[in-house]
Amino acid sequence: MAATRQGLLLESIQRLLRRGATARVQHLLEKTRTEDIAHLLPGLTVRDRRSVFDLLPSAETQALVLAEADRSFTQELIEPLPLQRIVEVLRALDTDDVADILRALPDEKAEPLLAALHAQESGLVEEILGYGPETAGGIMSADYFALNRDTTVTDAIRTLQERGEELDMAFYIYVINEHGHLVGVVSLRQLVTSKPDRRLSEVMEPEVISVTTDADQEDVASIVARYNFLAVPVVDENNRLRGIVTVDDIIDVIKDEATEDILKLAGAGEQLAPEAPARDHLRMRYPWLIASCISGFLAAFILEPFIGALGAFLGSFVPIVAGMAGNVGIQSSTIIVRGLATGAVDTTRSGAVVRREVLVGLALGVGYGLIVGTGAALVAWLQSDGRPPLEIVYAGLAVGLSLTASMLIAATVGAVIPLACFRFGLDPAVATGPFVTSSLDVIGLLSYFGIAVALAMALGLHG
Amino acid sequence: MAATRQGLLLESIQRLLRRGATARVQHLLEKTRTEDIAHLLPGLTVRDRRSVFDLLPSAETQALVLAEADRSFTQELIEPLPLQRIVEVLRALDTDDVADILRALPDEKAEPLLAALHAQESGLVEEILGYGPETAGGIMSADYFALNRDTTVTDAIRTLQERGEELDMAFYIYVINEHGHLVGVVSLRQLVTSKPDRRLSEVMEPEVISVTTDADQEDVASIVARYNFLAVPVVDENNRLRGIVTVDDIIDVIKDEATEDILKLAGAGEQLAPEAPARDHLRMRYPWLIASCISGFLAAFILEPFIGALGAFLGSFVPIVAGMAGNVGIQSSTIIVRGLATGAVDTTRSGAVVRREVLVGLALGVGYGLIVGTGAALVAWLQSDGRPPLEIVYAGLAVGLSLTASMLIAATVGAVIPLACFRFGLDPAVATGPFVTSSLDVIGLLSYFGIAVALAMALGLHG
């Protein structure tokens, strides 16, 4: 649905709710896809969101909207409903969605709901809840289709026709042996195009790529992306099939992980819904600024004697040296962090990548060092009220050389920090964001100060 | 394939190639999936890459590796092959992959290849090449499955069984009328579970969500992600079916667009392969630093008289004020840019989002203004050699108030710029990255200077 149509729908619903025309809202909602209804919710007030949710035609529609809606609305939407209705809504959902919704609720609300589900279903949900929320086990669905290796193609198609309705995403038939071990896979297309009397063991692909329940969801996403799978089977440590992760969930994982990395790089938390209230934003964003606060105080301590010793002129070029080095550092670290996330950079290539960054940092540093150094000398010359030429040269050299050194250091630090984090199992994006820039501020200033003082001594200036 | 296994395979191939053991490399490659071979390429030298590509068992394997490999290797891999072999490789590929590969070649190489393809195939490829590379038409595949509305379920299944082998991703049967207009869709599952004598028009879903050939690939990705589709049909302006975009291509789009946004926000270009040579990095990254260079000179012009008028002490707090305001601005703009990309923020909600950012900026500013202002006063007091208490209060007030003002301005500017870009059809990520931070450096410094001077006058200091 195009953005404008979505906007019109939102306005209509708001207007009709204000007028109390609930029958017309109901009519409008019936004609709208559940995914589109879910995407309307952030634009509504809490009150209107609840009204819309109440006016949905059935528990099944409510279930579909709830599954697609942002998790930050879960509690507020189901809270007003009686327990029996919530259970009805949950029963209409896949086990992975139920687990996801229960995770968004406080324990004291989730437990009675879990207890009220059918025994078999609550067992599956509890199993999923038992795995980490960002693991294959934690996002897998139990709605897969597994048949014994001795099943014939005819029987497989018949079973599929009988059970097809319940299975949302049955593209592959997983083939298991008598112990429940995953031994092969048959695509729906292979099945339809195979001779009816053959056994699955004869038509299946025996080399199945699977993931274990504890696999990180990012790794699961890489596998699905690399092999263009529609679903990947999840097995336990004994290769027994436990569930599947489908491509639609993988799309969400890829989007969420990219958002997480972007926000971490910006030092803005990890999972911040743009529609979250100011309070949540403050809580997430306040702590990240501490790095920059501390490095700022350090910078102040370095800068004051620097200005005292070398004068306001060199002091006034601090922002350009610090700013440009910071930008180069952000470029380097961002390229590496994203490369690590997409798999384009890995530890087998880290040496080459660091060498490249050192080279790039040096080239950028020399390039901009010449420009900015010449500019600084020019400014010094224009302002020179009979200042000796040596001081003008000094100004240009100090600014230019410091910029070259700072940019070189920045590119190197920006490349090494995320790679080191990755090697030691830390999250490169978290460590990189505010910490790289803050530490570069201080390092840049120190190298500027050091180079300026050394040059002054070498040229016999300032006593 | 786990990262370590991939690393071992890479080492084995490098070792065997050094020893000239081509038969063993060949054997190893035959046992490896084409997707994994494609992912080995960046770790090899140009020479080894070409050797591996030459040693692949068939034109079809070469085609699969080429399709999955990064486009930066396309030209170097096929260049040494004779024209006839390249044509053989291309014929083994889907039309969208052929178009993608031809786009990566210079015109004088692509044209003879296009001419050498079969007439029907080259017509389809030329059609795809005629659309923009980032539009639905430019990424669509012609390997879809469309049947007339009067076809029976039995006939549809028979056709599928006959043609199934060529169709890689046939999950949906698109239903067209006698004019080729798209009128419905039937999933493979619906087909298998429907009565054999019914017509497609009776079992189809008549409300098909489709995209037009000129739709932006990002919008296509949003649709697939929102509705959990496996493929979305692409139609021309008259609703005639032209192709499909499948979910595996959408995953690539989502990853690429996220990478693009991340790199743009960091001012590091758009599409920079981390394995690209230093020369390419330099060309992409050099221009983005100009914003920061210009704003740095502006800052220098403001800062020198500032230090002259108000002294080294206040000057030394410039980095903390500029740095923290810059960080808040990056937080705000990143949250908005990502929200716009994922659809969590849109123009219907921009007012609320800006109000939230103003509030957050004010709260962060007051919070850190108190801390840093108190810190500055403390430093001033510790350094005070008989300095009057009023000057100490002034130091704290000037730093604290400036920080509050700068952070408030930064959050507001950081939110408004990407929203304004979005509204006027500009790319929010490009405009945001280096430009927001650079302009904030100057704005922050000006507000610091202004507040400090105004306060000094109000308190009757500095004459």
Side-chain angles (χ1 to χ4, degrees):
Chain A
M1 182 179 276
T4 46
R5 253 189 76 195
Q6 185 96 11
L8 287 177
L9 182 64
L10 182 70
E11 279 167 33
S12 308
I13 286 179
Q14 285 169 326
R15 201 179 49 240
L16 292 171
L17 283 174
R18 253 198 318 274
R19 284 205 251 137
T22 50
R24 290 193 54 196
V25 176
Q26 238 161 349
H27 181 68
L28 210 53
L29 292 174
E30 271 166 41
K31 289 193 312 181
T32 310
R33 282 178 177 257
T34 49
E35 296 93 344
D36 293 327
I37 298 173
H39 279 78
L40 285 176
L41 299 179
L44 296 168
T45 61
V46 184
R47 202 192 145 120
D48 283 356
R49 265 199 292 277
R50 286 186 168 163
S51 307
V52 164
F53 196 67
D54 274 345
L55 291 171
L56 292 172
S58 66
E60 208 188 0
T61 322
Q62 287 186 320
L64 292 172
V65 170
L66 200 58
E68 288 297 320
D70 194 278
R71 282 293 149 261
S72 57
F73 302 132
T74 304
Q75 195 178 347
E76 127 195 349
L77 291 178
I78 67 172
E79 209 154 43
L81 302 182
L83 181 77
Q84 200 41 49
R85 176 67 173 206
I86 306 180
V87 172
E88 225 177 302
V89 169
L90 293 182
R91 280 197 190 137
L93 286 171
D94 289 343
T95 41
D96 54 334
D97 288 328
V98 177
D100 205 31
I101 285 165
L102 292 184
R103 267 194 208 107
L105 298 177
D107 284 351
E108 71 274 15
K109 309 241 152 132
E111 274 158 22
L113 289 173
L114 195 56
L117 290 172
H118 290 299
Q120 195 209 344
E121 202 176 355
S122 74
L124 286 169
V125 172
E126 272 185 293
E127 180 184 346
I128 295 175
L129 287 173
Y131 302 110
E134 300 202 340
T135 64
I139 59 170
M140 73 186 180
S141 154
D143 298 301
Y144 56 87
F145 199 75
L147 292 172
N148 189 280
R149 50 189 296 155
D150 296 326
T151 317
T152 60
V153 167
T154 312
D155 288 345
I157 293 181
R158 187 174 317 127
T159 319
L160 196 67
Q161 285 175 331
E162 283 163 15
R163 284 188 47 204
E165 286 302 312
E166 326 154 22
L167 298 170
D168 232 18
M169 285 262 178
F171 322 111
Y172 302 114
I173 291 109
Y174 296 101
V175 187
I176 51 177
N177 66 13
E178 54 281 18
H179 307 296
H181 295 160
L182 179 65
V183 294
V185 64
V186 181
S187 76
L188 212 56
R189 198 158 54 77
Q190 274 171 311
L191 194 72
V192 174
T193 56
S194 291
K195 293 221 167 63
D197 57 341
R198 302 199 56 191
R199 291 179 191 284
L200 293 185
S201 55
E202 297 170 280
V203 301
M204 73 185 186
E205 161 65 48
E207 294 215 4
V208 200
I209 292 182
S210 60
V211 297
T212 52
T213 47
D214 60 350
D216 188 296
Q217 64 173 2
E218 255 186 292
D219 298 330
V220 183
S222 311
I223 287 174
V224 170
R226 177 180 296 193
Y227 302 112
N228 298 333
F229 286 156
L230 298 178
V232 66
V234 183
V235 296
D236 65 16
E237 64 273 27
N238 298 317
N239 195 32
R240 267 194 303 259
L241 188 59
R242 304 305 312 158
I244 55 169
V245 178
T246 50
V247 69
D248 57 316
D249 291 330
I250 290 303
I251 285 186
D252 294 338
V253 169
I254 291 173
K255 286 172 73 173
D256 290 350
E257 297 279 348
T259 301
E260 240 180 82
D261 278 358
I262 291 178
L263 293 179
K264 280 182 206 157
L265 282 170
E270 302 189 14
Q271 290 175 308
L272 201 55
E275 66 268 24
R279 195 179 58 248
D280 294 349
H281 273 254
L282 256 173
R283 209 181 45 235
M284 290 292 279
R285 289 158 65 175
Y286 202 88
W288 289 103
L289 294 166
I290 285 170
S292 139
C293 185
I294 294 170
S295 72
F297 269 108
L298 283 175
F301 281 111
I302 305 166
L303 193 53
E304 205 191 352
F306 178 80
I307 296 173
L310 299 161
F313 181 82
L314 285 187
S316 71
F317 279 88
V318 164
I320 202 168
V321 173
M324 294 195 73
N327 281 4
V328 172
I330 292 177
Q331 286 183 340
S332 298
S333 54
T334 302
I335 289 169
I336 309 271
V337 167
R338 187 62 189 162
L340 288 167
T342 58
V345 171
D346 60 40
T347 41
T348 63
R349 268 169 257 160
S350 53
V353 168
V354 171
R355 272 194 300 279
R356 204 262 330 279
E357 284 304 314
V358 170
L359 208 63
V360 170
L362 188 64
L364 289 173
V366 171
Y368 276 105
L370 280 172
I371 296 175
V372 176
T374 311
L378 207 67
V379 174
W381 176 67
L382 289 172
Q383 294 180 347
S384 71
D385 307 308
R387 220 187 279 189
L390 186 63
E391 282 204 17
I392 293 169
V393 172
Y394 168 69
L397 273 179
V399 172
L401 282 178
S402 311
L403 189 62
T404 305
S406 307
M407 285 172 102
L408 173 61
I409 295 171
T412 312
V413 170
V416 168
I417 289 187
L419 285 169
C421 288
F422 186 72
R423 182 154 292 184
F424 294 112
L426 301 170
D427 183 340
V430 166
T432 299
F435 298 107
V436 164
T437 36
S438 299
S439 57
L440 285 178
D441 272 359
V442 176
I443 296 174
L445 204 49
L446 279 175
S447 78
Y448 187 11
F449 199 0
I451 286 174
V453 168
L455 256 183
M457 278 164 44
L459 297 175
L461 290 169
H462 301 293
Chain B
M1 181 178 276
T4 47
R5 255 189 75 197
Q6 184 96 10
L8 288 177
L9 182 64
L10 182 70
E11 280 168 31
S12 309
I13 287 179
Q14 284 169 326
R15 202 180 48 242
L16 292 170
L17 283 175
R18 254 199 314 274
R19 285 207 250 136
T22 50
R24 291 192 55 196
V25 176
Q26 238 162 350
H27 181 67
L28 209 55
L29 291 175
E30 270 166 39
K31 290 193 313 181
T32 310
R33 282 179 178 256
T34 49
E35 296 92 344
D36 293 327
I37 298 173
H39 278 79
L40 286 177
L41 300 178
L44 296 169
T45 61
V46 183
R47 205 191 141 119
D48 284 356
R49 263 200 294 275
R50 284 185 170 166
S51 307
V52 165
F53 195 67
D54 274 345
L55 291 170
L56 292 173
S58 66
E60 207 186 1
T61 322
Q62 288 186 319
L64 293 173
V65 171
L66 200 60
E68 287 297 321
D70 194 279
R71 281 291 148 264
S72 57
F73 302 132
T74 304
Q75 197 180 346
E76 123 195 352
L77 291 178
I78 67 171
E79 208 154 44
L81 303 182
L83 181 77
Q84 199 41 51
R85 176 67 172 204
I86 306 181
V87 172
E88 227 177 299
V89 169
L90 293 182
R91 280 197 189 135
L93 286 171
D94 289 344
T95 41
D96 54 336
D97 288 327
V98 176
D100 206 29
I101 285 165
L102 293 184
R103 265 194 210 107
L105 297 177
D107 283 352
E108 71 274 15
K109 309 241 153 131
E111 274 158 21
L113 289 172
L114 195 57
L117 290 171
H118 289 301
Q120 196 208 342
E121 202 175 357
S122 74
L124 287 169
V125 172
E126 273 185 293
E127 180 184 346
I128 296 174
L129 287 173
Y131 303 110
E134 301 202 341
T135 65
I139 60 170
M140 71 186 181
S141 153
D143 297 300
Y144 56 87
F145 199 78
L147 292 173
N148 189 278
R149 50 188 297 156
D150 295 326
T151 317
T152 61
V153 168
T154 313
D155 288 343
I157 292 180
R158 186 172 319 127
T159 320
L160 196 65
Q161 285 173 332
E162 283 162 14
R163 285 190 46 204
E165 287 303 311
E166 329 152 22
L167 299 169
D168 233 16
M169 285 261 178
F171 321 111
Y172 303 113
I173 291 109
Y174 296 102
V175 186
I176 51 176
N177 65 13
E178 55 281 15
H179 308 295
H181 296 161
L182 179 65
V183 295
V185 65
V186 181
S187 76
L188 213 55
R189 198 160 52 77
Q190 275 172 311
L191 194 71
V192 174
T193 55
S194 291
K195 293 221 167 62
D197 58 339
R198 300 196 61 191
R199 291 178 190 283
L200 293 185
S201 55
E202 296 170 282
V203 301
M204 73 185 188
E205 161 64 49
E207 293 216 3
V208 200
I209 293 183
S210 60
V211 296
T212 51
T213 46
D214 59 350
D216 188 296
Q217 63 173 3
E218 255 187 289
D219 297 330
V220 183
S222 312
I223 286 174
V224 170
R226 178 180 295 193
Y227 302 112
N228 298 333
F229 287 155
L230 298 177
V232 65
V234 183
V235 296
D236 65 16
E237 65 274 26
N238 298 316
N239 195 33
R240 268 192 301 258
L241 189 58
R242 304 304 313 158
I244 54 169
V245 178
T246 50
V247 70
D248 56 318
D249 291 330
I250 289 303
I251 285 186
D252 295 337
V253 169
I254 291 173
K255 286 172 74 173
D256 290 350
E257 296 279 349
T259 302
E260 240 181 81
D261 277 358
I262 290 177
L263 293 180
K264 280 183 208 157
L265 282 169
E270 303 190 12
Q271 288 176 311
L272 201 54
E275 67 268 25
R279 195 179 59 246
D280 295 350
H281 273 256
L282 215 65
R283 210 181 44 233
M284 290 293 280
R285 289 156 67 175
Y286 202 89
W288 288 104
L289 294 165
I290 284 171
S292 140
C293 184
I294 294 170
S295 73
F297 270 109
L298 283 175
F301 281 111
I302 304 166
L303 192 51
E304 207 192 351
F306 179 79
I307 297 172
L310 300 161
F313 181 82
L314 285 187
S316 71
F317 279 88
V318 164
I320 202 169
V321 173
M324 295 196 71
N327 282 4
V328 172
I330 292 177
Q331 287 183 339
S332 299
S333 54
T334 303
I335 288 170
I336 310 270
V337 167
R338 187 61 188 160
L340 288 167
T342 59
V345 171
D346 60 40
T347 41
T348 64
R349 270 169 255 160
S350 53
V353 168
V354 171
R355 273 194 299 279
R356 204 263 328 284
E357 283 305 315
V358 170
L359 208 63
V360 170
L362 187 65
L364 289 172
V366 170
Y368 277 105
L370 280 171
I371 297 175
V372 176
T374 311
L378 206 68
V379 174
W381 176 67
L382 288 171
Q383 294 181 346
S384 72
D385 307 308
R387 221 186 277 190
L390 185 64
E391 281 202 19
I392 293 167
V393 171
Y394 168 68
L397 273 180
V399 172
L401 282 178
S402 311
L403 189 61
T404 306
S406 306
M407 286 172 101
L408 173 61
I409 294 170
T412 312
V413 170
V416 168
I417 288 186
L419 285 170
C421 288
F422 185 72
R423 181 154 295 186
F424 293 112
L426 301 170
D427 184 340
V430 165
T432 299
F435 297 107
V436 165
T437 37
S438 300
S439 57
L440 285 177
D441 272 0
V442 176
I443 296 174
L445 203 50
L446 280 174
S447 78
Y448 188 11
F449 198 1
I451 286 173
V453 168
L455 257 181
M457 280 166 40
L459 296 175
L461 290 168
H462 301 292

